Amino acid sequence: MAEHHHEHEHHHHHLEMPAKSKYEEALEKYNLDISDEDVKAAVKQIITEKVHENDTPEVKQFLMGSVELTTLKTTDSDESVLAFTERVNQFEEAYPNLPHVATICVYPRFAKVVSETLEVEGVEIACVSGSFPSSQALIEVKTVETALALKDGATEIDMVQSVGAFLAGDYETVCDEIQQMKETCGDHKLKVILETGCLKTAANIKTASILAMYAGADYIKTSTGKLEPAATPEAAYVMCQAIKEYYDETGIQIGFKPAGGLNSVMDALIYYTIVKEVLGEKWLTNQWFRMGTSRLANMLLSEVIGEEVKFF
């Protein structure tokens, strides 16, 4: 009789412990107990104490080479994108001593125009794919759009995580989609946009960052630029912390891309400084640090050459 009782106890105990999902297990390795106040304070300290030392012509030149020159307008056409790409070709001749932009970023339907027009060695062609910016499409549509963009000459893909699924706690859908998109990309780099303005809290942003990296992101990116708020220094700080912890845990280096709302050279210097302070020199190359923007390239160029110029 006693034996039977013991079995019953054991069985009862088992019911109390539902199996953890692999996503929960992955997240357990990271510090998700972070407060928005602490993040704000840390960012304030970095901005107050560190940004000024990076306000140099050398850093601004470096930042020009990290720009993902972006056009994502409803009014984009083959003609406008061709002209946009030609500016990058002409930049090489006009400013041979300055670094060219890192990337041209367009909608998938323009991948072909860019790849046929672009003459500058080493400029990547990124396409926003997977029903950007809402990401509200069936995964089959997302992967087909991505495959077509790559076929037409895209070398990198920027996708938006399924934000609604993430906020509903459906990490399986979020990760499965990223994984399928990465499989479609193969060796091509996949950037996962978290849309941090919709995630609200530092803990959410950190969780989404870890899940995206775990599922196969090569870069994590703040925002689409289509919703407010877009990139913020606080979101950048949390994402860089996540990249650092992920690197310490796995040895895998993941890139970082702030995008949306980068309106001034000071904004760019703030993001550069956060990357430098949190992640260190190893991330300060245009391989691992990119900035998604259209207006910033002219501002950086103006400061580097010392007169206002609207080149792009």
Side-chain angles (χ1 to χ4, degrees), residues 261-271 291 293 295-296 299-300 303:
L262 277 65
N263 296 322
S264 67
V265 171
M266 184 47 75
D267 288 343
L269 291 173
I270 287 170
Y271 290 113
M291 298 185 299
T293 180
R295 54 182 78 96
L296 199 56
M299 294 179 181
L300 285 164
E303 292 222 359

Side-chain angles (χ1 to χ4, degrees), residues 152-173:
D152 278 348
T155 61
E156 300 184 343
I157 295 293
D158 292 29
M159 70 171 284
V160 183
Q161 72 156 346
S162 280
V163 179
F166 175 84
L167 291 171
D170 181 2
Y171 297 161
E172 187 173 4
T173 294

